[in-house]
Amino acid sequence: EVELVDIPLKENYGKDVTVNWKFFDGFEANRTFWTDSNGLDMQERRINYNPSYPWNKQDKQNISSNYYPIDSAIAMRDMSKGIQVTVMNDRAQGGSAELEKSTIELMQHRRMLQDDNRGPKEILNETDAQGNGIKVTAKYWLHIFDMEQGSSKQREQQVLVQ
């Protein structure tokens, strides 16, 4: 369980707060990861690749163009070792993997003072009755397993969280 009390904006610019899981011991995901699709199935994702449009190698939006909705799980697999790592969350969040080698990243909270001109024309500055940034609490479950010896506990955990 992770609790984030407030994002201070004293510097007068927005901030993103992420929760990151870094895997060592030579974990090799080959720039590939999986995200759930409405909790139904896992969609394969690859860094800097989308089959729907050609990738612009000069694109400077590497992070945002590799972020996906994570309704309940994100996973990476090391196929040479037969190991899968799955992070399950209790709420929908944005996330990615392999932005940094062998790392899963989920956005815990975001607070902006101005519109970023990349979506809805609104700022992201949710506050409480006293004008402070809202508190965000999220729960995460980490499951690491040998794909040859067992199966993912992701579906079981999703049912328990409901």
Side-chain angles (χ1 to χ4, degrees):
E1 187 168 2
V2 177
E3 180 177 277
L4 186 62
V5 178
D6 183 12
I7 300 176
L9 296 177
K10 295 176 186 167
E11 299 85 4
N12 215 19
Y13 57 86
K15 296 178 184 170
D16 299 334
V17 178
T18 62
V19 179
N20 298 275
W21 290 267
K22 174 79 173 167
F23 304 98
F24 297 95
D25 198 26
F27 191 93
E28 181 58 63
N30 292 317
R31 302 174 59 83
T32 304
F33 61 101
W34 287 260
T35 62
D36 70 321
S37 174
N38 259 349
L40 299 175
D41 62 2
M42 298 296 278
Q43 300 289 314
E44 182 177 329
R45 312 289 189 181
R46 286 186 268 167
I47 292 295
N48 297 339
Y49 174 79
N50 187 321
S52 301
Y53 61 87
W55 191 263
N56 178 357
K57 295 186 187 313
Q58 272 64 49
D59 189 355
K60 301 294 185 215
Q61 293 298 321
N62 180 32
I63 294 174
S64 60
S65 50
N66 286 295
Y67 245 67
Y68 295 91
I70 313 297
D71 290 320
S72 62
I74 182 170
M76 291 190 310
R77 296 176 183 157
D78 184 328
M79 300 307 270
S80 65
K81 294 180 181 176
I83 302 293
Q84 177 171 314
V85 175
T86 306
V87 175
M88 295 161 278
N89 51 337
D90 69 343
R91 69 196 64 230
Q93 294 173 274
S96 190
E98 287 289 286
L99 291 172
E100 181 181 324
K101 187 172 173 41
S102 305
T103 301
I104 290 176
E105 174 178 305
L106 291 174
M107 188 174 297
Q108 172 83 15
H109 197 6
R110 177 177 230 196
R111 194 168 175 203
M112 310 287 278
L113 291 176
Q114 57 192 8
D115 181 43
D116 62 3
N117 297 316
R118 299 197 183 282
K121 302 289 184 211
E122 63 182 329
I123 60 173
L124 297 170
N125 190 21
E126 295 177 284
T127 57
D128 62 17
Q130 289 74 39
N132 300 315
I134 61 169
K135 177 175 84 170
V136 176
T137 303
K139 290 184 181 180
Y140 301 100
W141 295 268
L142 178 66
H143 184 224
I144 302 172
F145 69 98
D146 183 329
M147 295 185 299
E148 294 176 13
Q149 301 293 320
S151 60
S152 174
K153 302 291 183 194
Q154 176 185 340
R155 298 294 176 228
E156 292 173 33
Q157 184 63 41
Q158 287 171 320
V159 170
L160 292 173
V161 171
Q162 301 294 324

